[in-house]
Amino acid sequence: MKFWGPILLLPLMLWGQAEFFGYMESEVDIMELDSQRYSFGYNKFRLDMEARPNDNVLIGANVNIQKYWGQTTWNIYDFLPGFSGLGITQNIELQDTILVDNIYMRLSFVWADLTLGRQQISPGVGYAWNPTDIFNTKSLLDPSYEQTGVSSIRLDISLGNRSTLNAVLQPGGAFNKSTKQLWLKTGLGRFDVDVTLAELQQATPASMLFGDAFDAKRTMVGGSLVGEILEYGIWIEFAHNMLDSVHDPSSGTMQPRELQYDEYVLGVDHTFDNSIYIVGEYLHNGFGTKDKSLLGLQDYLYSLSGEGRSLMQDYGFVYIMHPTFDFVSLSTLAIANFNDKSGTLAPQLDWNAFEDTNISLQGSLFWGDDDTEFGLQDWGLRLRVRSDF
Amino acid sequence: MNVKIISFIFLCCSFIFAQSPTAKEIVDRVTDVMSPVNAYSKGSQTIITSSGKERVFEFESWSAEKGKSTLTRYTKPAAIRGQAFLMLNNADDIWSYFPRTKRVRKLASHAKKQKMQGSDFTYEDMGGGDVFQKKFNSSILGEETRDGELVWKIQMLGIADQEPPYPKIVMWVRQSDYFPVVLDYYDEKDFNSKTLLLSDIKLIESFPTAMTMVMKDNKERSSTTMRNLDITYAWEPPKGFFSERNLKK
């Protein structure tokens, strides 16, 4: 949905006295990778519209216009530890886009909401990772950045003040290839609990090289628990996954053999009396490997594409923030890959310079050997300015 | 003889009824006056930092069960438009909703003491209900005149095992309508860390209502002014209103 999208939205804007809001965001990045320095960035304009023709109907949409500048053509092999500098080239180009990201209608009944269309769906309670989220991939350097829309039908049924039943269907070509997810959420004392069941067609590492014929059917059973112990916020989010087939490298085909693996996140957060806020998470991804020598091209591509939750098995994430001055906060984010012993440290300054205008400066320093996930990169610097309206 | 007895009874009654109310009775009345069963309001929140910088927010707020359940949704500025907070059980349970990520997060109790949108009000300050009655022991320190009004000066000491929001609060309450006009909040070091001033008190649907509330942070020298732009107590919450489902709307 590219250029005709905004034209389609025009009647919606005019009908129902739409509200308009959005933001303009500009980003400048400088990065050193394998002793090569790159500069790049983008300008992004997002226009959101919401119309409420009556109390029971909400129509929402947004258009994103994004223009890249600087380095826009990247050799994907430059980002793959062990492949960088070998002279292999497979370029990807960042294309300027005009995209209708979300376009949906929500019908509200007494006990349920039915939302149809392309909409943002963000399940899970984890901050940096969400094992039960089968729709999105988060950027670890900016986990709270908005997610793109998912074309789907969503039903939210209220079962009381703290209990809901939610169902999402993301239609595929055939119904058995459609993505389906169901959640049941409730409150148990001071804790929120949910259980979820999902089924989807999942790309495998082999799909990265040989196409979607190498996808597998994935069934996921998971859940989460969020609450507090001794004034520390705690959460657990877990997913038990079953793939119905696996790639057999010797025959080069997918074999109907069940593969099971677990993913889980353990998290904790706390605000101290001096206003320092700290959040920490540990991710275990059973689909990743513990030994970097077992990683192949398809594994790197799988992780880079966002299909895999992570490249390897065990990760840590820490974020510390302090509102240091008036409208200025200082923070530091650290990510560690415990398996290949690489990581990144990213100090950040956020300044609410004017009402609705934020300026953020983030540096990133990487550690680890050159053939590790994070050690490949030397350093990075990001300046982002965003003004909402 | 009978006339003498009746006169004596009348005298006793007048004496009894002329007695000042106890601290507990005053706090009970304050709770009643300050906690209408349901309320809907539109308000503004102006933060003035110690360096004199100003930010203005606007919000809508709904409350029920005498402030036990509250939902607040910010409408301005654009950067936080749609951010919402659901507080149940007198702010013991708080959920936040961020429209940018479309995620609801349950906040742990340490978050109750966080500044709401950087203001001088904490989430806990925004919770209503019977906190003064349940979490404090009260006593009368004296009577004074403030702005031409006769007021009681009430000291409220937190009951440790009830997890009071502050160790001590001193409150000045108008004798005419049991409406508090000043609250001094004390920290663990017995320092008067914050002061809340309630003014422009109007009678809205039989309830005295402070149209302006100023919270001063005496440590950081900042202040936050909350103004009621529109308020009604005739609002009735639809079933399931104070829920995660509605938080996200």
Side-chain angles (χ1 to χ4, degrees):
Chain A
M1 199 181 292
K2 278 192 172 178
F3 302 107
W4 55 269
I7 298 163
L8 179 77
L9 285 172
L10 269 172
L12 291 178
M13 300 174 204
L14 300 171
W15 176 54
Q17 295 180 328
E19 281 184 74
F20 295 87
F21 51 96
Y23 63 81
M24 171 75 198
E25 186 175 270
S26 291
E27 187 175 304
V28 183
D29 289 88
I30 301 169
M31 175 179 83
E32 192 167 290
L33 179 79
D34 204 18
S35 302
Q36 289 279 329
R37 198 168 292 178
Y38 302 93
S39 65
F40 55 97
Y42 64 81
N43 293 304
K44 179 180 174 184
F45 176 76
R46 174 172 166 139
L47 179 65
D48 282 81
M49 292 144 271
E50 270 186 17
R52 294 175 193 269
N54 59 59
D55 288 347
N56 302 97
V57 177
L58 167 71
I59 297 164
N62 78 277
V63 182
N64 291 346
I65 302 169
Q66 193 155 358
K67 233 176 144 43
Y68 296 93
W69 62 269
Q71 181 84 16
T72 54
T73 304
W74 298 91
N75 178 10
I76 206 160
Y77 285 93
D78 286 343
F79 293 89
L80 308 184
F83 292 87
S84 173
L86 294 180
I88 316 167
T89 304
Q90 187 184 333
N91 287 334
I92 52 162
E93 190 159 350
L94 299 174
Q95 303 272 0
D96 296 344
T97 52
I98 300 176
L99 171 75
V100 177
D101 185 14
N102 292 281
I103 178 163
Y104 62 90
M105 180 183 287
R106 180 182 299 145
L107 309 177
S108 293
F109 304 94
V110 176
W111 289 107
D113 293 324
L114 179 65
T115 312
L116 306 111
R118 195 173 155 96
Q119 57 192 293
Q120 200 173 321
I121 297 170
S122 308
V125 298
Y127 184 77
W129 297 281
N130 296 105
T132 62
D133 185 351
I134 56 173
F135 299 104
N136 308 289
T137 311
K138 283 180 171 178
S139 159
L140 285 178
L141 287 175
D142 194 357
S144 59
Y145 200 82
E146 71 211 18
Q147 308 285 359
T148 54
V150 178
S151 295
S152 57
I153 302 163
R154 178 182 177 130
L155 182 66
D156 300 288
I157 301 169
S158 181
L159 304 173
N161 278 2
R162 288 184 67 182
S163 302
T164 53
L165 181 67
N166 315 91
V168 169
L169 172 70
Q170 181 189 13
F175 185 77
N176 64 354
K177 290 195 170 180
S178 297
T179 299
K180 300 143 220 155
Q181 190 166 11
L182 203 66
W183 300 265
L184 180 64
K185 295 183 184 177
T186 191
L188 287 178
R190 303 293 297 275
F191 286 83
D192 280 1
V193 184
D194 78 69
V195 288
T196 182
L197 178 67
E199 189 183 272
L200 66 151
Q201 207 61 21
Q202 172 76 53
T204 65
S207 315
M208 300 293 110
L209 299 177
F210 311 117
D212 57 12
F214 285 77
D215 290 357
K217 187 176 160 189
R218 175 181 161 198
T219 306
M220 186 263 284
V221 182
S224 70
L225 176 79
V226 54
E228 67 174 278
I229 294 175
L230 300 173
E231 291 200 340
Y232 281 76
I234 56 136
W235 55 93
I236 300 164
E237 186 178 336
F238 69 94
H240 178 69
N241 298 280
M242 290 154 277
L243 295 180
D244 72 342
S245 52
V246 291
H247 179 233
D248 176 19
S250 58
S251 67
T253 57
M254 293 295 280
Q255 295 295 314
R257 197 174 73 236
E258 193 171 88
L259 173 71
Q260 299 193 19
Y261 63 96
D262 294 319
E263 296 174 288
Y264 57 84
V265 161
L266 307 174
V268 61
D269 75 344
H270 189 72
T271 307
F272 294 91
D273 290 342
N274 56 11
S275 299
I276 290 178
Y277 173 71
I278 184 164
V279 53
E281 279 190 350
Y282 165 74
L283 168 76
H284 175 81
N285 174 10
F287 199 69
T289 174
K290 269 187 162 178
D291 183 353
K292 71 179 178 192
S293 67
L294 298 175
L295 291 167
L297 176 62
Q298 68 272 26
D299 299 304
Y300 289 115
L301 294 174
Y302 192 62
S303 169
L304 208 61
S305 68
E307 289 289 347
R309 185 91 45 210
S310 62
L311 180 67
M312 298 183 80
Q313 215 167 71
D314 303 290
Y315 290 81
F317 174 95
V318 175
Y319 172 72
I320 303 168
M321 192 274 287
H322 183 254
T324 311
F325 310 108
D326 290 349
F327 307 119
V328 175
S329 65
L330 299 175
S331 58
T332 297
L333 183 153
I335 306 154
N337 177 333
F338 296 130
N339 303 122
D340 71 6
K341 297 181 175 50
S342 69
T344 179
L345 185 75
Q348 183 167 323
L349 181 147
D350 285 287
W351 177 28
N352 181 228
F354 312 105
E355 193 160 277
D356 287 323
T357 301
N358 271 70
I359 298 172
S360 72
L361 183 67
Q362 185 186 61
S364 40
L365 300 164
F366 298 83
W367 74 81
D369 295 338
D370 284 349
D371 61 345
T372 56
E373 184 175 8
F374 295 103
L376 179 72
Q377 195 174 326
D378 302 322
W379 56 267
L381 196 63
R382 188 191 76 192
L383 174 70
R384 185 187 282 170
V385 181
R386 176 177 150 137
S387 196
D388 291 76
F389 59 90
Chain B
M1 179 68 178
N2 282 346
V3 173
K4 277 186 181 175
I5 290 170
I6 289 167
S7 303
F8 178 72
I9 290 169
F10 263 107
L11 195 65
C12 288
C13 287
S14 347
F15 179 72
I16 289 164
F17 287 118
Q19 290 282 302
S20 285
T22 63
K24 185 185 177 306
E25 285 165 344
I26 294 168
V27 170
D28 288 349
R29 289 290 300 273
V30 167
T31 302
D32 281 346
V33 167
M34 294 289 285
S35 310
V37 178
N38 301 320
Y40 162 74
S41 66
K42 280 184 182 176
S44 72
Q45 182 177 295
T46 304
I47 302 170
I48 299 173
T49 68
S50 51
S51 59
K53 290 175 188 163
E54 188 178 297
R55 289 285 185 275
V56 181
F57 301 80
E58 286 188 16
F59 59 88
E60 287 184 279
S61 183
W62 297 261
S63 71
E65 297 175 88
K66 297 193 167 195
K68 194 175 170 189
S69 307
T70 307
L71 196 154
T72 303
R73 183 172 288 130
Y74 282 87
T75 52
K76 283 182 186 172
I80 61 155
R81 181 185 186 278
Q83 276 187 29
F85 300 92
L86 172 67
M87 293 185 255
L88 301 181
N89 305 317
N90 297 317
D92 276 348
D93 293 299
I94 307 173
W95 290 264
S96 61
Y97 171 67
F98 298 96
R100 196 173 184 205
T101 56
K102 298 274 188 278
R103 285 182 195 275
V104 172
R105 278 188 74 82
K106 188 172 193 306
L107 304 181
S109 62
H110 61 82
K112 288 193 294 187
K113 300 198 184 297
Q114 282 180 22
K115 295 176 164 198
M116 203 169 177
Q117 292 299 353
S119 76
D120 297 289
F121 288 89
T122 62
Y123 292 97
E124 205 162 33
D125 293 334
M126 304 296 285
D130 50 7
V131 175
F132 290 170
Q133 292 168 302
K134 284 193 172 166
K135 299 191 175 182
F136 291 91
N137 284 323
S138 305
S139 59
I140 298 173
L141 293 182
E143 291 185 5
E144 295 175 10
T145 303
R146 283 186 88 107
D147 299 326
E149 286 266 358
L150 203 57
V151 294
W152 286 294
K153 187 178 178 184
I154 307 291
Q155 176 178 268
M156 295 187 289
L157 296 175
I159 303 168
D161 60 1
Q162 294 293 315
E163 297 178 9
Y166 298 91
K168 184 173 100 177
I169 299 174
V170 176
M171 174 168 68
W172 284 260
V173 180
R174 296 203 305 200
Q175 295 194 3
S176 57
D177 56 5
Y178 289 85
F179 200 84
V181 285
V182 181
L183 288 93
D184 276 341
Y185 300 95
Y186 288 78
D187 62 16
E188 288 75 11
K189 293 173 183 166
D190 205 30
F191 174 74
N192 176 200
S193 55
K194 296 202 298 186
T195 299
L196 178 64
L197 304 164
L198 298 100
S199 61
D200 190 15
I201 297 158
K202 291 182 177 167
L203 204 61
I204 309 272
E205 295 158 12
S206 316
F207 283 94
T209 304
M211 301 307 280
T212 304
M213 289 175 282
V214 182
M215 182 70 92
K216 291 183 174 176
D217 188 316
N218 301 324
K219 273 183 195 163
E220 297 186 8
R221 301 279 165 206
S222 56
S223 71
T224 301
T225 302
M226 290 182 79
R227 288 188 179 84
N228 275 316
L229 305 174
D230 185 18
I231 187 161
T232 178
Y233 301 113
W235 173 77
E236 282 289 330
K239 204 165 185 181
F241 185 87
F242 294 98
S243 63
E244 184 181 321
R245 180 184 164 215
N246 196 41
L247 180 67
K248 292 194 278 188
K249 282 188 176 172

